[in-house]
Structures are given as C-alpha cells and as structure tokens.
C-alpha cells in the first residue's frame, strides 16, 4: 500500500477530484455483474410463480386446513387469489419477515468485506479513493440494490397475479376493498415502509462489513441479529420495551391496506428504524476511518 506522502502527492495531482473516484455507475456495474446479485434477483422473481403453483396444487388459500392459531390477526393469505393486488400484497406479507432481510444483509454486508477478502481494498484506497468516498459509494449502491430487490418482488407478483387471477380491487381480509386506482399507490407505500424498516439490517450488515474480512460473517451476523430482534419481540414479558425494537413494527405496513390509511404505527416504526440505522452507519464510517487496512 502506498505511503501517506505518495497518496498526498497523487491527491494533489492536476485533474484529481476526490468526488470523481469510484463513481456510483462503476460500483453499480461491478455489483450487478456479481453472481450473488443475479442469484438473489432470480430467487425473488421466482417466488410469485412458486406461490401460484402452490395455490394451484393446494387449492384456494384460507380453507379449513389453513386456519390454525391465527386468532384475530389479519391474514392476507385468506384473500391471496382475489386479484393481482391481493397476490402482490400476499407476496410481501410472506417475505417481509425474513426473505427480504437476506438481500439487504447480502448487499450491505458483502460490499466492503468482499473487497478485503479479495485483498483489493488497500489498492482501492491507494488509487487514491478517500475512505469516506469509498464507503459512501458502496453504501449508496448497496441500498439501491436492496430497494430494487424489494421493488422487483411486487412488480413480478403484480404481473404474474394479473395473468393468473385478473386485475381488480384489493379485497381486505376484514371486509371491504380498496379501489383499483388506490392499490398501486398503497402497495408503493408498503414497499417504502418495508425498505425503511430494513435499514436497521442494512446498518448492521454495513457496520459488520467494515469490521471483518469475512463477507459471510457480516451477512450472517446481520441476519442473526435481526432474528434475535424478532425473538425478543415475541417475549411479551418485555411489555412496552418491545416498542424500541425495530422488529415490533415490521408489519405496521398493514395499516396502509385499510380503507382509512393509518400513519401512527408506520411513523413510529420508521422513526425507530432510521434512528438505529443512522447510529450504525455513523459507527461504520467512524471505525473505518481509523482502521488499519492490511488486506
């Protein structure tokens, strides 16, 4: 790795601008060509078709054999085949708790640690790419791919659902329906909230990615801690303390699928998630700025 005087000399060279190093376009193309990106996209795109086949084989959801233990909890599975909008909402419902956690942890946890594991991180910094610029480029691209993964699922579900079940209003499990003109904006709101709620996982994965040279450690650590949060939220003895857990609000987006839109739960959930995420991102930038890069 170049010495500090050499890096300073490069930084003072004519035409050098720190903001032009590691452009977002270049980083995005690097990540897009990676096998794990294509594999994750394929899994998310395949999920709606797998559910359609499952419904075709198993019959209409919400029958006598499928209604165990739910109590009064809203279950979108009961109306999954009523329309394309219902099917898209169901795909989000079954995947928001865990499946959508994986691409967020993967894209954010693998981004810096993989460079270290390939022994290319020090060469990027010797280019010279400022550390803050490197982290910023990688974080923006990772969050962009995470959002794209969450948009891909309902888009494919809407298309597949329209072909399988037709287009129509979003039928609500509690009775009533949302007009067809309102379904897409409401589903967009759901995706936006799911993305914001997953910022905690993104922050955990990104912070761990700056602390380790093992990508699987960063990804697995973020997924594991997210699961721990879900387990703690299930401990009712914690009472009101659960409201400080991001997992407690992960299904608050169900309020967007009501005739009268409710913002209370989503606003609280978003505030909790953004607060944790900002702290974790700050820790990542602070720690990486002082880290001795040897790989």
């Amino acid at each position: 790795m170049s010495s500090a005087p050499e890096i300073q000399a490069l930084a003072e060279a004519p035409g050098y601008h720190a903001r032009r190093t590691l452009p977002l376009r270049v980083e995005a193309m690097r990540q897009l060509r990676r096998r794990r990106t294509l594999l994750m996209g394929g899994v998310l795109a395949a999920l709606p078709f797998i559910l359609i086949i499952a419904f075709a084989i198993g019959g209409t959801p919400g029958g006598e054999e499928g209604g165990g233990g739910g109590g009064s909890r809203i279950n979108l599975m009961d109306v999954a085949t009523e329309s394309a909008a219902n099917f898209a909402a169901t795909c989000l419902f079954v995947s928001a708790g865990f499946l959508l956690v994986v691409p967020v942890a993967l894209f954010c946890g693998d981004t810096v640690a993989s460079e270290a594991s390939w022994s290319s991180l020090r060469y990027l910094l010797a280019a010279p790419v400022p550390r803050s610029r490197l982290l910023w480029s990688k974080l923006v691209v990772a969050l962009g791919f995470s959002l794209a993964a969450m948009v891909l699922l309902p888009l494919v579900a809407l298309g597949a659902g329209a072909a399988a079940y037709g287009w129509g209003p979003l039928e609500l499990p509690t009775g009533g329906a949302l007009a067809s003109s309102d379904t897409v904006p409401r589903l967009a709101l759901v995706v936006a909230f799911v993305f914001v709620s997953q910022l905690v996982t993104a922050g955990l994965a990104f912070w761990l990615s700056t602390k380790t040279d093992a990508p699987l450690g960063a990804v697995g650590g973020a997924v594991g801690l997210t699961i721990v949060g879900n387990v703690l939220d299930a401990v009712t003895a914690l009472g009101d303390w659960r409201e400080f857990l991001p997992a407690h609000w992960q299904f608050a987006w169900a309020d967007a699928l009501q005739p009268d839109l409710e913002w209370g739960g989503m606003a609280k959930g978003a505030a909790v998630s953004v607060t944790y995420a900002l702290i974790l991102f700050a820790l990542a930038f602070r720690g990486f700025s002082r880290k001795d890069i040897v790989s």
Side-chain angles (χ1 to χ4, degrees):
M1 186 173 179
S2 301
S3 63
E6 291 173 334
I7 293 177
Q8 184 177 1
L10 285 169
E12 294 175 354
Y16 172 82
H17 296 283
R19 293 183 178 180
R20 295 181 182 176
T21 58
L22 197 60
L24 295 178
R25 180 187 72 259
V26 173
E27 178 64 16
M29 291 305 299
R30 292 178 68 216
Q31 299 301 327
L32 182 62
R33 294 191 181 102
R34 294 190 59 186
R35 186 177 301 175
R36 49 92 157 149
T37 303
L38 300 176
L39 178 62
M40 184 54 61
V43 170
L44 292 174
L47 177 63
F49 297 98
I50 294 174
L51 288 179
I52 288 175
I53 294 172
F55 290 151
I57 295 174
T60 303
E64 293 181 2
E65 297 181 0
S72 59
R73 182 178 178 180
I74 294 176
N75 187 2
L76 288 170
M77 292 292 290
D78 294 341
V79 290
T81 59
E82 295 296 326
S83 68
N86 279 91
F87 183 67
T90 301
C91 288
L92 287 170
F93 176 73
V94 300
S95 60
F98 180 75
L99 181 60
L100 290 180
V101 173
V102 176
V104 175
L106 182 64
F107 294 137
C108 295
D110 180 70
T111 181
V112 178
S114 61
E115 298 285 359
S117 68
W118 298 333
S119 298
S120 58
L121 186 57
R122 56 181 174 178
Y123 297 109
L124 279 174
L125 295 175
V129 180
R131 295 191 181 201
S132 59
R133 174 65 183 180
L134 183 143
L135 284 190
W136 175 252
S137 295
K138 288 189 170 294
L139 177 59
V140 170
V141 170
L143 291 178
F145 275 90
S146 299
L147 178 59
M150 295 181 189
V151 172
L152 175 64
L153 177 61
L155 279 181
V156 174
L158 279 174
Y165 311 119
W167 189 264
L170 197 156
E171 302 291 338
L172 304 175
T174 54
L178 292 178
S180 300
S181 59
D182 293 333
T183 55
V184 172
R186 294 291 185 94
L187 288 174
L189 178 59
V190 169
V191 172
F193 178 79
V194 172
F195 174 72
V196 172
S197 68
Q198 294 297 339
L199 287 178
V200 178
T201 301
L204 278 170
F206 193 70
W207 174 59
L208 291 173
S209 187
T210 63
K211 305 294 288 185
T212 179
D213 295 348
L216 286 178
V219 176
V223 173
L225 289 173
T226 302
I227 293 174
V228 169
N230 290 334
V231 172
L232 289 176
D233 182 56
V235 180
T236 56
L238 290 175
D240 293 340
W241 287 102
R242 293 186 300 162
E243 295 187 4
F244 294 97
L245 297 172
H248 185 69
W249 307 100
Q250 63 179 333
F251 289 107
W253 55 263
D255 293 341
L257 302 182
Q258 303 296 330
D260 297 322
L261 182 60
E262 296 287 342
W263 291 97
M266 289 188 289
K268 292 179 181 178
V272 171
S273 297
V274 170
T275 299
Y276 280 113
L278 289 177
I279 293 173
L280 290 166
F281 290 144
L283 288 174
F285 275 83
R286 183 176 183 272
F288 192 74
S289 67
R290 303 180 180 186
K291 183 178 180 180
D292 184 17
I293 306 298
V294 295
S295 57

